[in-house]
Amino acid sequence: MMTTELCTYTRNACDIARRTGVERIELCAAPLEGGTTPSAGLIRYARSLPGLRLSVMIRPRGGDFLYTDDEVALMAEEIRLAREYGADGVVFGLLTPDGEVDETRTAQLVLVAEAGPMQTTFHRAFDMTRDSRQALEAVIRTGCRRVLTSGGRNTAQEGIETLRALAAQATGRIEIMAGSGVGPSNARLLAATGVDALHF
């Protein structure tokens, strides 16, 4: 069964997700920054809607995914707040300067989330890594539940062969969620790669 997720930045988008039968929303702020941690008020509103699973973006700023210890501490605090507001999951991604998954600090944040317990998604920072096969194994080792990826390309449709390879490599150890440029016109095509979820 294919899970559907909608990226939402506003109350109206949350309402649309509920009306259209989307199963899960990824709640963010600052679309021009590529998504940052949303406000407490927006998290509360999204949580008040029945029948929607809620994943909250944990990203303290736009720009790269190389974070200082202070920023990681802030991200841990934002994960705790998301849990207090009733989120089902959190979404984050941390890299090293040489283009690999920052396993140590990602694993630290996974532990903070699972104390909830909340599900964890490693977001499209994954697509900035040098080697997607190695990066997938690294994300699996951190304990993340799923990874959001466009197969290393601008859109999921362009990265379709890599998505197919990642789905085969995952072998049920982690969920692969295809995202970026996903819509009604290509949803069936992307679902056929074997991914577990589509991120609209």
Side-chain angles (χ1 to χ4, degrees), residues 117-194:
M118 291 189 292
Q119 294 185 1
T120 48
T121 301
F122 195 96
H123 63 45
R124 285 189 60 220
F126 181 87
D127 293 319
M128 304 289 181
T129 59
R130 289 188 309 178
D131 183 316
S132 63
R133 290 185 65 83
Q134 289 181 3
L136 184 64
E137 295 302 324
V139 173
I140 289 169
R141 286 192 294 270
T142 68
C144 279
R145 171 73 174 267
R146 72 182 61 88
V147 60
L148 171 62
T149 175
S150 58
R153 303 294 290 275
N154 280 337
T155 68
Q157 189 160 338
E158 291 173 77
I160 200 162
E161 291 308 320
T162 302
L163 288 170
R164 189 175 283 117
L166 290 170
Q169 181 185 345
T171 56
R173 296 176 296 157
I174 190 170
E175 292 177 24
I176 306 294
M177 179 162 57
S180 186
V182 178
S185 64
N186 59 13
R188 285 185 192 280
L189 185 69
L190 290 165
T193 61

Side-chain angles (χ1 to χ4, degrees), residues 80-145:
R80 294 183 191 101
L81 283 172
R83 178 166 64 234
E84 282 179 32
Y85 292 135
D88 299 297
V90 285
V91 183
F92 48 76
L94 300 85
L95 302 179
T96 65
D98 55 359
E100 295 180 354
V101 172
D102 186 339
E103 285 190 58
T104 302
R105 295 196 290 185
T106 299
Q108 288 170 359
L109 294 180
V110 169
L111 286 175
V112 173
E114 287 186 344
M118 291 189 292
Q119 294 185 1
T120 48
T121 301
F122 195 96
H123 63 45
R124 285 189 60 220
F126 181 87
D127 293 319
M128 304 289 181
T129 59
R130 289 188 309 178
D131 183 316
S132 63
R133 290 185 65 83
Q134 289 181 3
L136 184 64
E137 295 302 324
V139 173
I140 289 169
R141 286 192 294 270
T142 68
C144 279
R145 171 73 174 267

